[in-house]
């Protein structure tokens, strides 16, 4: 995944960059009902690894490997699904002493598993955010102070 960004601030081997996120419809002049509000441009600031030492104000190209993206996607999409299924079976077997109907106990277990998966995802997000493996990296400087620059 490659993205262009502007360096705002430098910090200990990392840089704070501003990424301008645009949709596929951002270059379109039409106001169609398919695009809704996607004609708008959204900016976000991200802390990225900076092995090449880009200067503040430079436009840079960011890249993130496929492995961290794939691993994160698997965790985000599969963990809640597995938690719902496991929660159903755990609830139907463990909660039958409290709730007489096994199906209702399973549904309650599924709900609890689903909520527990979100707590686990929040924990994963904090841990992954602190590791540089999950941060994008500056691969090259595109422009420096308005001039095109190849690194």
């Amino acid at each position: 995944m490659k993205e262009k960004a502007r360096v705002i601030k430098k910090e200990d081997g990392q840089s704070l960059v501003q990424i301008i996120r645009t949709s596929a419809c951002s270059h379109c002049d039409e106001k169609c009902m398919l695009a809704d509000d996607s004609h708008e441009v959204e900016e976000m600031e991200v802390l990225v690894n900076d092995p090449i030492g880009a200067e503040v104000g430079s436009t840079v190209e960011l890249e993130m490997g496929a492995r961290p993206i794939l691993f994160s996607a698997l965790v985000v999409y599969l963990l809640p699904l597995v938690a719902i299924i496991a929660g159903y079976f755990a609830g139907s077997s463990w909660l039958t002493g409290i709730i007489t109907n096994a199906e209702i106990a399973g549904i309650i277990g599924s709900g609890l598993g689903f909520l527990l998966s979100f707590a686990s995802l929040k924990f994963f997000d904090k841990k992954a955010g602190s590791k540089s493996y999950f941060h994008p990296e500056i691969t090259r400087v595109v422009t420096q102070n308005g001039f095109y620059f190849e690194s």
Side-chain angles (χ1 to χ4, degrees):
M1 178 178 90
K2 291 184 180 182
E3 193 75 41
K4 287 195 175 33
R6 186 172 35 100
V7 178
I8 298 173
K9 183 179 169 185
K10 307 252 324 152
E11 299 175 7
D12 303 330
Q14 294 184 322
S15 294
L16 184 67
V17 297
Q18 184 178 40
I19 300 173
I20 300 173
R21 295 175 44 189
T22 57
S23 69
C25 297
S26 64
H27 305 290
C28 177
D29 294 333
E30 300 294 322
K31 295 289 184 188
C32 61
M33 64 184 214
L34 296 175
D36 288 329
D37 295 330
S38 65
H39 288 84
E40 297 176 11
V41 175
E42 183 181 338
E43 297 177 355
M44 70 180 196
E45 295 179 358
V46 179
L47 190 64
V48 298
N49 296 329
D50 187 4
I52 62 174
E55 295 179 13
V56 174
S58 301
T59 302
V60 294
E61 186 174 84
L62 306 175
E63 188 168 354
M64 187 165 184
R67 282 188 175 164
I69 293 172
L70 183 62
F71 179 73
S72 298
L74 284 174
V75 169
V76 167
Y77 290 113
L78 288 182
L79 183 64
L81 181 64
V82 169
I84 289 171
I85 295 169
Y88 180 83
F89 290 113
S92 64
S93 65
W94 294 341
L95 295 177
T96 53
I98 301 169
I99 301 168
T100 57
N101 189 341
E103 284 187 34
I104 292 175
I107 291 169
I108 291 171
S110 290
L112 292 173
F114 188 63
L115 293 175
L116 184 63
S117 73
F118 279 109
S120 300
L121 287 175
K122 188 169 185 162
F123 177 75
F124 171 75
D125 184 43
K126 284 185 180 181
K127 289 295 184 185
S130 66
K131 302 212 185 279
S132 64
Y133 177 72
F134 289 97
H135 288 236
E137 186 173 274
I138 296 176
T139 55
R140 71 184 185 103
V141 177
V142 178
T143 63
Q144 189 170 348
N145 300 327
F147 299 103
Y148 282 97
F149 180 77
E150 292 291 327
S151 57

